[in-house]
Amino acid sequence: MDPPNRVPDCRFSLCLHGKNGDGIFMPLGYRHGLLLIYQLARYQLLVWDPFNIDLHRVAVPPEFDRLEAPFKGAVSRAAGDIQHFRVVLVSTETDEQQQTRAFARIYSSETAKWGDRISTPLPSKLPTNSHMYFTMGVLVGHSLYWLFNDRSAKTLLLDGILEFDLEKQIVAVKPVPVGIPKENMCRFQVMQAEGGGLGILFLSNFSAQLWKVETDCDGAASWVLGRTVELDKLLSINSRKKRKWNQSIEGFAEYNNVLLLRTPTDLFMIQLEPLQFKKVSKTKKWVCYHPFESVYATGNSI
């Protein structure tokens, strides 16, 4: 944000560096003013509130082993609750029938315990013993969603959407829109659709397609194309730049539906409703961008 509302960078200084790789951290998610970070060497999760200088350490259950299969996580708070939080971890495994399954466990700070394992089979088209890569999770309604693909195939082909229902505590797999190329996960972003419900954004050349799930009179759900944003017109991309222009999604702020879009030269922040954009910085190689949102009242962080 612009001054005077810009948060000082010192608020995001997490000084936990030590020996033997203690300072290696992997961000897993950001939500409701909390950051979820995996500390590699100590095999633990850090749930950090940078505004209230509050840090919790949570041991990772043994079945989530990054050497065996990648895992992702998400953190959330119930509405109006600033004391307690929940953490969800998701990963994949191959069962005795050689079926690849996605599984999840949820941690509650209120009980300081992990819940039981919850699982669901992945589509049968995926090879046995495949390891899935998950994107950052997005909260839509009362469910968390991750895009995933088969990491063992050594491609960025998009395979589906994993859902974890926080209320029912069930895991499910949802398909992605048919008829659109799925060769690059960096061009997709799961999000809340305009008007509510599950949506997905797809970057196609110089435009962004906004898809949403609709249910017909028989209760059958399907993907439909909502609207298309002409990015070249929005960002004033001229014909010379178009020849070199390649874009990827670097991050998504779900509460405000704000997209971080990387081009070969610049990083843009695009707000989808209402449609606005802002150039954040020049693009830097080997840099990761992670949007962070927090709800606060004037003078006091919540």
Side-chain angles (χ1 to χ4, degrees):
M1 300 175 67
D2 294 322
N5 297 315
R6 181 175 297 163
V7 178
D9 56 4
C10 62
R11 288 289 189 99
F12 293 93
S13 178
L14 184 61
C15 298
L16 293 174
H17 298 287
K19 298 180 180 179
N20 301 322
D22 285 7
I24 299 176
F25 305 106
M26 300 179 64
L28 297 180
Y30 317 83
R31 187 167 294 105
H32 302 154
L34 297 175
L35 287 84
L36 179 64
I37 303 167
Y38 173 50
Q39 190 173 10
L40 191 62
R42 300 196 177 186
Y43 204 60
Q44 66 179 0
L45 300 171
L46 306 177
V47 181
W48 180 34
D49 182 342
F51 290 157
N52 294 316
I53 317 176
D54 191 17
L55 180 66
H56 298 265
R57 302 172 188 266
V58 180
V60 176
E63 61 264 43
F64 292 95
D65 186 350
R66 291 200 66 87
L67 297 178
E68 294 295 329
F71 66 81
K72 279 290 186 178
V75 63
S76 68
R77 283 171 166 163
D81 189 347
I82 62 172
Q83 293 183 330
H84 300 294
F85 60 86
R86 292 175 293 182
V87 172
V88 177
L89 292 183
V90 294
S91 187
T92 57
E93 64 182 357
T94 301
D95 61 22
E96 295 178 355
Q97 289 74 38
Q98 298 302 303
Q99 168 69 57
T100 301
R101 304 179 66 87
F103 69 95
R105 291 187 68 178
I106 183 168
Y107 173 87
S108 169
S109 66
E110 192 169 5
T111 62
K113 293 181 179 179
W114 287 96
D116 295 334
R117 177 194 298 237
I118 308 164
S119 67
T120 189
L122 290 177
S124 56
K125 66 177 182 179
L126 296 173
T128 302
N129 296 322
S130 59
H131 290 167
M132 311 311 295
Y133 170 79
F134 297 93
T135 60
M136 287 283 186
V138 173
L139 180 66
V140 178
H142 52 74
S143 290
L144 290 160
Y145 296 93
W146 294 265
L147 298 174
F148 69 86
N149 80 325
D150 177 13
R151 188 182 186 188
S152 62
K154 297 182 180 180
T155 69
L156 292 176
L157 180 69
L158 179 61
D159 287 314
I161 303 173
L162 186 69
E163 176 189 14
F164 183 87
D165 190 313
L166 288 166
E167 291 185 353
K168 299 178 181 179
Q169 295 200 12
I170 58 175
V171 180
V173 175
K174 294 186 176 296
V176 294
V178 297
I180 57 176
K182 305 175 181 67
E183 73 276 3
N184 195 335
M185 285 186 68
C186 297
R187 292 177 177 267
F188 290 87
Q189 176 61 55
V190 65
M191 57 181 289
Q192 178 172 295
E194 295 176 335
L198 179 62
I200 195 169
L201 181 145
F202 167 57
L203 295 179
S204 175
N205 295 324
F206 307 105
S207 64
Q209 298 179 4
L210 301 176
W211 293 74
K212 58 183 177 180
V213 174
E214 288 191 350
T215 305
D216 61 21
C217 57
D218 297 323
S222 61
W223 287 99
V224 297
L225 179 60
R227 67 183 172 107
T228 300
V229 177
E230 301 297 334
L231 294 175
D232 54 342
K233 297 177 181 178
L234 179 67
L235 306 178
S236 300
I237 305 298
N238 58 42
S239 57
R240 187 181 67 177
K241 288 184 178 180
K242 280 185 178 181
R243 290 194 293 268
K244 301 179 180 178
W245 206 60
N246 185 27
Q247 75 277 16
S248 63
I249 298 171
E250 290 297 313
F252 183 72
E254 65 191 31
Y255 186 78
N256 291 287
N257 265 8
V258 172
L259 195 73
L260 288 182
L261 182 71
R262 183 204 288 261
T263 72
T265 57
D266 301 300
L267 179 74
F268 292 96
M269 183 172 64
I270 300 176
Q271 185 163 342
L272 299 173
E273 297 179 76
L275 187 58
Q276 300 175 0
F277 83 96
K278 178 181 179 180
K279 179 179 173 181
V280 178
S281 67
K282 290 289 185 181
T283 298
K284 299 178 181 179
K285 293 183 178 180
W286 317 118
V287 171
C288 296
Y289 301 92
H290 300 283
F292 175 80
E293 295 172 296
S294 182
V295 180
Y296 66 94
T298 304
N300 295 284
S301 62
I302 295 179

